[in-house]
Amino acid sequence: MIKKLTCLTFSFGCLFAFAQEEQENQNKGILNIGVESNSQWYIDDNKISISEKDAIERFRSNSYIKADYFIDKWEFGVQVESYSPMALLNYSPELEKTDIGTIYARYNNTEIGLDATAGHFYEQFGSGLILRSWEDRQLGINNSIFGGRIGYEFVKGAKVTVLGGKQRIGMGFDLSESFISGANVEVNISEISNMENMDLNVGASFVGRYENLQDEYPELDKMTNMYSFRADASKGNFYAGAEYVYKSKDAIVEGTGGVQTIFEDKQYDGNALLINFGYSQRGLGIDVNLRRMENIGMFSERSLSGNTFNTGVVNYVPALTKQYDFALQNIYVYQVASSTSFYPLLKPGEIGGQFDLYYQFKRNSVIGGKYGTYLSVNGSFWNSLGYNDDLNIEEKQVSSGFFDFGRKYYNDLAVEVRKKHSDKWQSIFSVMGQYYNQKYIEDASGELKTYITAAEVIYKFGDAQSIRVIGQHLWADGDKKNWASGTLEYVPSLKWSFYIQDLYNYGNDKEESRVHFYNVGGAFTKGATRIGMSYGRQRGGMICVGGVCRWVPESSGLTLNISTNF
Amino acid sequence: MKKTIVIGLLFFCFFVDAQQSKFPNLTLKNLDGKDINISQYNNTDHPVIISFWATWCGPCINELSAIHNVYQDWQDESAVELVAVSIDDARTKKRVKPMVNGKGWEYEIVLDDNHDLKRTLNIINVPYTIVVYKGNVIYEHSNYTPGSEREMYKVIQSKIKK
């Protein structure tokens, strides 16, 4: 029924838009269409093979076609997704066949400040710590909400948004059993009160989940609510911001072997505090982020809590570490569990911070040289919250003092220097040290220290030709031990590029696991179109985008990526 | 049934006149917290480069750094303006300001932290560059390889001379 209604709304909308365009020919509509297709043909070799379960389909493909039409104050869009014959390895099994992914109609009148959407929509309140719906195709995330949203700007600088709907947890019309409602207020105080020399923004949000499981779990409330309060200010070269989020009590959900179990007798509330401040001027930037969070994870169905595919996530709780550029820097990536759990290990929450420093050695100085030298330094430390050893369930409180630190999860420190030496030469050099508590981050065993160095040199010649060489090394005192890596990229023209890369786990204690993860590939780019093809081995592990990760198994084979828009 | 309607609609929409302008009515914040309506770049009398980037994207930083070295000369000659749209989400967004200042970039920086503009323009990967001039898209390119900024500028030069 819902499907039919949406389609009907959509078709009337499109017709209406078309009719309107006929009338006012000078106001032409805009049609944007995007196509993306990522395919893989998994071919086992003597070292790498995929599991028997995965091998039932060796050619897999994820494809997306999206069309949006903008006319006057109206906007209509649809995305069709195809996972055929099957989705790429380790995407959610709910993503299958060909169907509508998202469909919507929107009226956006900036003159009167009204913005209304029906259908699937993406939304973020504040930093997303209370609500973020977004799409990331690499991670297989599309947690758009299907329902309605209205935003109204009652004066310039003050906006209210209310929304409600069911979250997408599979293909476009596979929706969660719960109902999500939300409200958000953003006020730019400096704009309203004409503050000249200071910028001040404040915001507050509410997000509620209605999920009735009382037939099976009579102790569980139907409503679970979250509240957020935040403020950001900047004056001159200084800036600072803070956000506090509270979540009402909710059952602990433990997952083992892909099965999530709800414990209605263990209910805790949650909270998060995020603080950011910094200073920046031309040639210098300093930024500090601090976060404490306890049991703040929210999923549109309780039984989805902590699932490995990020299905049904309502809020965005990324690991706050730097997203590094080089391959070996991305083997041991910090991830964070947003909800408290007791099994197999007690994880009461997280506390810690990170900093960044950017500095430019001026042009024509000793270190700066002709073009300047750019230095960046970053570091992070993350621990578990301090916790009560004599934990008493009746107290409904896992952590001890609010700012107490517990077990160390992760820390890193990295220095990177970028320099252009001449018209032809430029280089990047990076060193990094890291502590990684594998037992707690991956629910595996052990802990390790690593040191990573990486150097990249680009040599330009001719009109638009270049060669890029990257060398990397990782020393680790545990797990798979040492890695070395080399990459060579050749760009013969603006349209073509070719590369060859090898990641070699030469230090592995198990001789049969000393595998070369090699890849050869090329890409053709013209205008908005890009076609990339590669053959080789994919290292098993985490693929992370924006602090959210997806696990992929080891595999080898042929990859084809096509994207275009018009 | 549902599929038929949607596919039909898609084809129907294909026949709507091809557009000249590219940017819909969409408001994003710049680094000072001010609203920037992207549709204002549909009709400018100087060329505008819209460059999508992120703090964690190596080639993006290479591209914006390469343009930074020649930006003053370009501006003097063609009055070109570069708008750098950061797609950093809340995790890395706070790095944008110190990085931009640390590198001394003088671009207009716009924050697309929940990817509204990126999605609207169907941009899959960064870096991605679009040049608009007097309501027309005169150049569009995904990815960056060293030297492609010179190619882009040649196109800009050829259009402004007309």
Side-chain angles (χ1 to χ4, degrees):
Chain A
M1 186 60 198
I2 294 173
K3 298 179 194 185
K4 276 184 190 152
L5 270 178
T6 327
C7 284
L8 220 62
T9 321
F10 183 76
S11 32
F12 274 115
C14 203
L15 280 171
F16 175 68
F18 192 74
Q20 201 171 35
E21 194 202 36
E22 292 280 278
Q23 284 168 9
E24 12 179 332
N25 225 350
Q26 73 278 17
N27 193 357
K28 280 182 185 166
I30 302 173
L31 175 68
N32 291 342
I33 293 173
V35 179
E36 180 182 7
S37 176
N38 302 313
S39 310
Q40 209 147 352
W41 183 20
Y42 298 94
I43 306 163
D44 291 351
D45 59 31
N46 57 349
K47 290 270 193 184
I48 309 275
S49 56
I50 57 176
S51 73
E52 225 168 274
K53 182 174 123 299
D54 291 334
I56 54 166
E57 196 58 75
R58 288 191 170 271
F59 177 81
R60 291 163 180 252
S61 185
N62 295 3
S63 304
Y64 313 81
I65 298 180
K66 180 168 159 289
D68 300 276
Y69 185 65
F70 304 83
I71 176 80
D72 198 16
K73 295 173 176 64
W74 292 85
E75 191 180 321
F76 307 92
V78 62
Q79 173 164 301
V80 177
E81 299 173 19
S82 175
Y83 305 89
S84 183
M86 275 180 93
L88 298 177
L89 285 188
N90 242 54
Y91 275 76
S92 164
E94 305 292 325
L95 299 173
E96 54 172 359
K97 298 178 187 145
T98 302
D99 205 340
I100 289 175
T102 58
I103 185 164
Y104 73 95
R106 177 176 181 183
Y107 175 78
N108 184 12
N109 186 337
T110 44
E111 284 153 33
I112 60 167
L114 180 67
D115 178 1
T117 307
H120 291 90
F121 58 86
Y122 302 97
E123 180 60 87
Q124 178 175 318
F125 290 168
S127 69
L129 198 49
I130 181 164
L131 176 82
R132 185 187 187 198
S133 61
W134 81 109
E135 179 187 44
D136 193 301
R137 293 172 181 174
Q138 243 181 304
L139 296 177
I141 290 182
N142 189 322
N143 64 343
S144 55
I145 298 169
F146 183 76
R149 175 183 62 182
I150 294 177
Y152 183 58
E153 195 172 32
F154 44 91
V155 285
K156 188 92 188 110
K159 192 178 173 184
V160 177
T161 305
V162 290
L163 60 85
K166 284 171 171 283
Q167 195 172 40
R168 174 178 168 188
I169 55 169
M171 296 302 279
F173 294 104
D174 301 328
L175 304 172
S176 67
E177 291 294 325
S178 69
F179 187 87
I180 303 290
S181 53
N184 186 49
V185 187
E186 298 272 349
V187 183
N188 186 332
I189 291 181
S190 38
E191 192 167 349
I192 286 177
S193 58
N194 288 320
M195 265 191 242
E196 289 281 305
N197 53 1
M198 188 176 171
D199 192 45
L200 180 63
N201 281 282
V202 294
S205 321
F206 161 82
V207 170
R209 174 189 68 196
Y210 177 88
E211 188 189 23
N212 186 355
L213 298 178
Q214 289 186 340
D215 287 347
E216 201 177 342
Y217 305 98
E219 296 293 312
L220 292 186
D221 285 340
K222 292 176 192 162
M223 277 302 287
T224 309
N225 299 323
M226 295 176 87
Y227 308 89
S228 154
F229 304 94
R230 55 189 179 271
D232 282 285
S234 67
K235 186 171 165 54
N237 295 325
F238 292 93
Y239 60 91
E243 178 169 11
Y244 178 77
V245 180
Y246 174 81
K247 182 189 171 196
S248 66
K249 75 178 164 67
D250 195 6
I252 296 293
V253 179
E254 305 279 6
T256 41
V259 180
Q260 315 296 112
T261 312
I262 298 170
F263 291 87
E264 63 174 326
D265 56 331
K266 285 189 199 165
Q267 292 196 43
Y268 297 93
D269 60 1
N271 65 77
L273 178 66
L274 184 67
I275 293 170
N276 166 252
F277 54 90
Y279 173 85
S280 81
Q281 65 173 57
R282 198 181 155 85
L284 173 68
I286 299 164
D287 185 60
V288 177
N289 271 291
L290 305 170
R291 184 170 73 187
R292 180 202 189 273
M293 64 161 191
E294 179 170 7
N295 202 29
I296 200 69
M298 176 81 145
F299 290 77
S300 55
E301 289 177 13
R302 288 180 176 95
S303 61
L304 288 170
S305 289
N307 76 86
T308 54
F309 302 113
N310 300 299
T311 304
V313 311
V314 170
N315 58 347
Y316 177 57
V317 190
L320 291 180
T321 51
K322 182 172 174 172
Q323 188 159 329
Y324 290 101
D325 291 349
F326 294 104
L328 296 187
Q329 293 172 330
N330 285 307
I331 290 185
Y332 298 108
V333 183
Y334 179 55
Q335 308 148 63
V336 59
S338 55
S339 301
T340 297
S341 64
F342 296 88
Y343 183 82
L345 300 160
L346 172 65
K347 292 179 188 168
E350 174 211 68
I351 186 166
Q354 64 168 343
F355 76 93
D356 284 273
L357 169 87
Y358 297 92
Y359 183 74
Q360 177 192 5
F361 293 95
K362 289 204 171 56
R363 291 180 193 196
N364 303 318
S365 65
V366 177
I367 302 177
K370 189 179 171 193
Y371 297 95
T373 298
Y374 298 90
L375 171 76
S376 53
V377 182
N378 69 279
S380 70
F381 62 96
W382 296 103
N383 285 50
S384 79
L385 292 177
Y387 46 87
N388 296 321
D389 278 331
D390 51 345
L391 182 68
N392 177 358
I393 297 296
E394 293 307 311
E395 285 172 20
K396 304 291 181 206
Q397 168 85 24
V398 184
S399 63
S400 52
F402 195 77
F403 288 115
D404 284 359
F405 279 52
R407 195 181 306 276
K408 186 167 162 187
Y409 284 158
Y410 180 86
N411 82 305
D412 65 3
L413 183 67
V415 179
E416 185 187 282
V417 178
R418 279 175 183 260
K419 186 164 176 57
K420 180 174 172 180
H421 303 272
S422 69
D423 258 352
K424 294 196 179 316
W425 292 92
Q426 64 187 76
S427 66
I428 303 170
F429 186 72
S430 166
V431 290
M432 173 180 173
Q434 174 179 62
Y435 166 86
Y436 183 83
N437 192 333
Q438 197 159 23
K439 181 176 173 185
Y440 280 83
I441 297 173
E442 294 180 18
D443 283 340
S445 63
E447 52 187 335
L448 58 136
K449 280 193 177 124
T450 73
Y451 294 96
I452 303 161
T453 58
E456 172 177 322
V457 176
I458 297 177
Y459 174 66
K460 291 192 255 186
F461 58 102
D463 214 19
Q465 298 191 59
S466 62
I467 287 176
R468 181 161 76 136
V469 181
I470 306 170
Q472 304 174 62
H473 192 271
L474 178 150
W475 290 265
D477 64 359
D479 195 32
K480 295 178 179 172
K481 302 275 178 80
N482 292 7
W483 291 75
S485 168
T487 307
L488 175 68
E489 185 186 60
Y490 171 54
V491 180
S493 72
L494 289 170
K495 293 194 173 64
W496 294 93
S497 69
F498 302 96
Y499 75 93
I500 176 161
Q501 183 186 50
D502 186 30
L503 273 67
Y504 180 32
N505 186 198
Y506 76 92
N508 202 313
D509 288 340
K510 292 184 215 147
E511 210 161 314
E512 70 278 10
S513 298
R514 290 175 194 164
V515 177
H516 286 274
F517 291 92
Y518 60 83
N519 264 290
V520 288
F524 172 78
T525 312
K526 186 169 190 287
T529 303
R530 183 182 156 82
I531 301 168
M533 198 176 193
S534 66
Y535 178 82
R537 292 170 173 170
Q538 158 81 51
R539 184 178 64 80
M542 290 292 170
I543 289 184
C544 300
V545 180
V548 179
C549 300
R550 180 174 75 89
W551 187 84
V552 295
E554 275 182 1
S555 65
S556 86
L558 190 69
T559 307
L560 178 68
N561 303 310
I562 300 170
S563 64
T564 189
N565 69 66
F566 40 87
Chain B
M1 180 59 191
K2 175 179 66 192
K3 263 184 222 166
T4 328
I5 293 179
V6 171
I7 290 165
L9 273 170
L10 276 177
F11 276 107
F12 182 67
C13 286
F14 270 111
F15 291 107
V16 179
D17 274 350
Q19 75 279 10
Q20 295 290 295
S21 51
K22 177 111 183 163
F23 305 116
N25 207 352
L26 184 73
T27 304
L28 298 173
K29 299 256 186 243
N30 72 2
L31 270 190
D32 302 322
K34 301 268 176 321
D35 285 348
I36 303 286
N37 193 323
I38 295 301
S39 65
Q40 69 180 275
Y41 299 114
N42 279 332
N43 233 327
T44 52
D45 48 15
H46 60 277
V48 179
I49 303 167
I50 310 273
S51 180
F52 285 81
W53 71 290
T55 56
W56 42 260
C57 159
C60 305
I61 292 163
N62 288 342
E63 175 171 32
L64 292 172
S65 300
I67 296 175
H68 172 65
N69 288 324
V70 290
Y71 194 44
Q72 195 61 53
D73 297 341
W74 286 10
Q75 287 203 303
D76 291 346
E77 188 188 24
S78 62
V80 66
E81 178 187 1
L82 193 147
V83 180
V85 181
S86 150
I87 63 155
D88 284 273
D89 51 28
R91 179 199 186 204
T92 50
K93 190 172 107 176
K94 299 292 184 192
R95 284 196 168 82
V96 173
K97 194 171 189 171
M99 184 188 258
V100 165
N101 278 322
K103 292 191 177 293
W105 293 345
E106 284 154 337
Y107 312 132
E108 172 82 274
I109 308 288
V110 176
L111 302 171
D112 188 23
D113 58 335
N114 206 25
H115 303 168
D116 293 326
L117 183 61
K118 174 176 178 273
R119 213 165 23 234
T120 296
L121 299 177
N122 294 304
I123 289 162
I124 308 297
N125 294 309
V126 288
Y128 194 99
T129 309
I130 301 167
V131 185
V132 284
Y133 178 51
K134 291 186 174 167
N136 294 309
V137 174
I138 59 170
Y139 180 87
E140 196 161 1
H141 196 73
S142 81
N143 203 11
Y144 170 77
T145 51
S148 60
E149 77 280 3
R150 286 201 296 266
E151 179 72 15
M152 173 178 74
Y153 193 63
K154 277 182 202 159
V155 174
I156 293 173
Q157 283 173 314
S158 71
K159 296 286 176 187
I160 57 169
K161 276 173 191 151
K162 276 178 189 167

